[in-house]
Amino acid sequence: MDLRSAARGFLAFLLSVPVLQGNGDWRVTYSSTNVCALRGAMVDINCTYEYHNNVQYRPTTVRTLWFTKGDKYQPVDLLSDSDYTGRVENSCGKVNCTGSRCHGTCTLRIRDLRQSDSAVYKFRFTTNQPSGGYTGDPGVTLSLTDLQVKVSFPDPTDPTWTKLECHSMCGLAGDPPYIWFRNGKKGRQGVNYKGHIPTGENYSCAVEGYERLSSPLVYAPKTPSVTMNPSGEIKEGSSVTLSCSSDANPAANYTWFKVIKGPFSTNLNQGPKLVFKQILTSDSGQYYCLVQTELRQASNWITIHMKYGPKHTSVCSNPSGEIEEGSSVTLSCSSDANPAATYTWFKEHEDSVKETGQNYTITNITSEHEGNYYCQAHNAIGHHDSTFLFIQSNYSFKIHTPPSKSKAPSETFAY
């Protein structure tokens, strides 16, 4: 097939040499046993046929047809096949006879090629002679292809310098002219496109004159969408899935990272999903999804805010150690909690609340203040009691946490 053929409205690629299929005096010769064509274009499949002319039955009448369904005894003529309605024609030349040999030519033309047209096409002719007719087996295999853009980097020292190549699964006959589209507008000609590919631009290629049959667009990944399921409040021990998606062609590769400190991060998972089967409070933090293709990369961020009851509740005093009678001491309580905890102060064996708030200040301290003190941290999810802080009177006051008298922590979490 040459460029003159392309100019008539089709692009086809012959993949093998002509082959003769015959039996004695009856034969069919296809121009090729395999034909590859662009989907959406038009293709011609050609053959010649020969038969023995019995002079007793002159003039001989010949009926020809092409088929993909049925068999040689009950073929379904493509002209009456509903899958090809309005898209096929069978053009045959005049039969020429020399002595007892006759031969003719036929061409099957298929327009607006569809993927479903990929099939084996056979030609059959019949005559009014006693020998009947003949089918050329095994026929012609038609394959459909699309143009594709291959991406490569010819200069390893400059990853922004990109080479785009327009190609199909089979070579185009006659080396027809290619044309490139940049953001939908016609640009350079040639099978290759080389240059710096800016973010936000897209490219495709086509055979000039067949722009409607252009390749799929290639473009750098767009800013990915990151989601968390379930959304909203996340409680410790629950299952959480982070998902990442991006519009990109060529297809993107996904990698999840967690920000550790400052500019540093750790690689957690390859793939569009990051799953925590039983999430821990230590999993709180900022995550980002990196999307990479041959053209470029993009990323987006998401933060996991864990909700959990108070834990690691502790108390301290200021001043610590020995203090003088009549002076003041401030007890402070702290706890790890989200949302932030509120605090209540208690003295052992006393039911009444001594103070509310993170700090509890005792002024003008006397022997009456001797005893064990503790704080309770609480939020909407649960509460947690600190260990005891012991204030001991012996001329001067000592503040410490005696191991033998420490309060056993209690905690309640509403999951």
Side-chain angles (χ1 to χ4, degrees):
M1 205 65 60
D2 57 22
L3 288 181
R4 292 189 300 274
S5 300
R8 294 200 302 271
F10 59 89
L11 292 171
F13 328 114
L14 305 183
L15 304 183
S16 65
V17 297
V19 63
L20 174 67
Q21 299 170 348
N23 180 16
D25 293 330
W26 298 70
R27 64 188 61 181
V28 172
T29 304
Y30 296 109
S31 59
S32 177
T33 56
N34 291 276
V35 176
C36 184
L38 284 178
R39 184 165 52 179
M42 183 169 64
V43 68
D44 281 357
I45 300 175
N46 304 299
C47 77
T48 61
Y49 61 95
E50 298 179 47
Y51 61 93
H52 176 74
N53 183 31
N54 190 329
V55 294
Q56 179 182 351
Y57 291 92
R58 285 185 177 177
T60 301
T61 58
V62 179
R63 178 176 178 266
T64 63
L65 63 87
W66 294 83
F67 68 97
T68 63
K69 303 172 185 175
D71 55 35
K72 62 182 178 181
Y73 301 108
Q74 291 183 315
V76 178
D77 190 342
L78 286 181
L79 295 177
S80 59
D81 189 334
S82 59
D83 290 337
Y84 294 84
T85 300
R87 297 192 298 119
V88 297
E89 76 180 68
N90 179 18
S91 300
C92 295
K94 182 181 178 181
V95 176
N96 295 309
C97 297
T98 302
S100 63
R101 300 295 299 170
C102 294
H103 67 274
T105 61
C106 280
T107 298
L108 171 67
R109 172 166 292 183
I110 309 173
R111 297 181 177 85
D112 188 23
L113 286 166
R114 305 169 184 174
Q115 193 60 49
S116 59
D117 295 337
S118 296
V120 176
Y121 293 80
K122 297 180 181 181
F123 174 78
R124 179 171 176 78
F125 68 98
T126 57
T127 73
N128 61 341
Q129 298 187 22
S131 52
Y134 181 77
T135 297
D137 282 318
V140 176
T141 300
L142 174 63
S143 303
L144 276 298
T145 183
D146 290 317
L147 291 176
Q148 299 289 335
V149 176
K150 291 177 63 176
V151 180
S152 61
F153 298 94
D155 185 358
T157 64
D158 185 1
T160 65
W161 183 258
T162 308
K163 176 185 175 182
L164 306 180
E165 180 184 356
C166 192
H167 78 111
S168 68
M169 73 177 189
C170 45
L172 281 168
D175 192 22
Y178 290 92
I179 189 168
W180 288 90
F181 296 86
R182 175 182 175 186
N183 296 329
K185 296 181 179 180
K186 286 186 180 181
R188 305 177 190 175
Q189 289 185 340
V191 67
N192 296 322
Y193 184 105
K194 297 180 181 179
H196 296 279
I197 309 298
T199 302
E201 293 193 347
N202 60 68
Y203 296 81
S204 64
C205 67
V207 175
E208 191 169 14
Y210 297 87
E211 287 80 357
R212 67 184 183 88
L213 306 180
S214 62
S215 69
L217 298 176
V218 294
Y219 46 89
K222 299 179 181 179
T223 301
S225 169
V226 291
T227 59
M228 181 167 56
N229 185 28
S231 59
E233 185 174 291
I234 302 298
K235 296 182 179 179
E236 189 173 21
S238 61
S239 176
V240 177
T241 299
L242 304 183
S243 299
C244 182
S245 62
S246 176
D247 181 14
N249 189 31
N253 295 315
Y254 298 85
T255 308
W256 279 98
F257 295 86
K258 182 180 181 181
V259 178
I260 301 302
K261 187 176 181 182
F264 301 104
S265 59
T266 181
N267 187 329
L268 295 178
N269 186 62
Q270 297 286 337
K273 294 184 182 295
L274 178 61
V275 178
F276 300 88
K277 293 183 178 179
Q278 289 185 315
I279 198 164
L280 305 174
T281 56
S282 58
D283 294 322
S284 297
Q286 193 171 37
Y287 296 78
Y288 69 92
C289 168
L290 180 66
V291 181
Q292 295 174 297
T293 70
E294 292 94 331
L295 287 176
R296 208 165 299 280
Q297 64 185 32
S299 63
N300 204 356
W301 303 76
I302 193 169
T303 302
I304 296 179
H305 295 286
M306 291 285 296
K307 301 294 184 182
Y308 52 93
K311 58 179 67 177
H312 311 306
T313 306
S314 62
V315 292
C316 62
S317 66
N318 185 25
S320 59
E322 294 186 358
I323 55 176
E324 297 294 329
E325 184 176 9
S327 61
S328 299
V329 63
T330 297
L331 309 182
S332 297
C333 187
S334 62
S335 179
D336 177 19
N338 189 26
T342 57
Y343 301 93
T344 305
W345 288 92
F346 299 90
K347 184 178 181 183
E348 188 182 24
H349 306 307
E350 292 185 10
D351 296 330
S352 60
V353 175
K354 304 302 292 184
E355 183 66 271
T356 58
Q358 191 167 7
N359 299 319
Y360 171 35
T361 300
I362 303 173
T363 59
N364 192 24
I365 194 167
T366 68
S367 60
E368 295 179 355
H369 294 107
E370 185 178 72
N372 286 318
Y373 293 81
Y374 68 95
C375 72
Q376 183 182 87
H378 45 86
N379 62 14
I381 298 177
H383 68 271
H384 186 234
D385 294 345
S386 73
T387 56
F388 286 134
L389 190 67
F390 183 47
I391 298 179
Q392 180 183 20
S393 171
N394 186 11
Y395 302 108
S396 61
F397 289 87
K398 294 181 180 180
I399 300 178
H400 58 98
T401 304
S404 60
K405 297 183 180 181
S406 61
K407 177 176 175 59
S410 65
E411 52 185 328
T412 302
F413 299 104
Y415 292 138

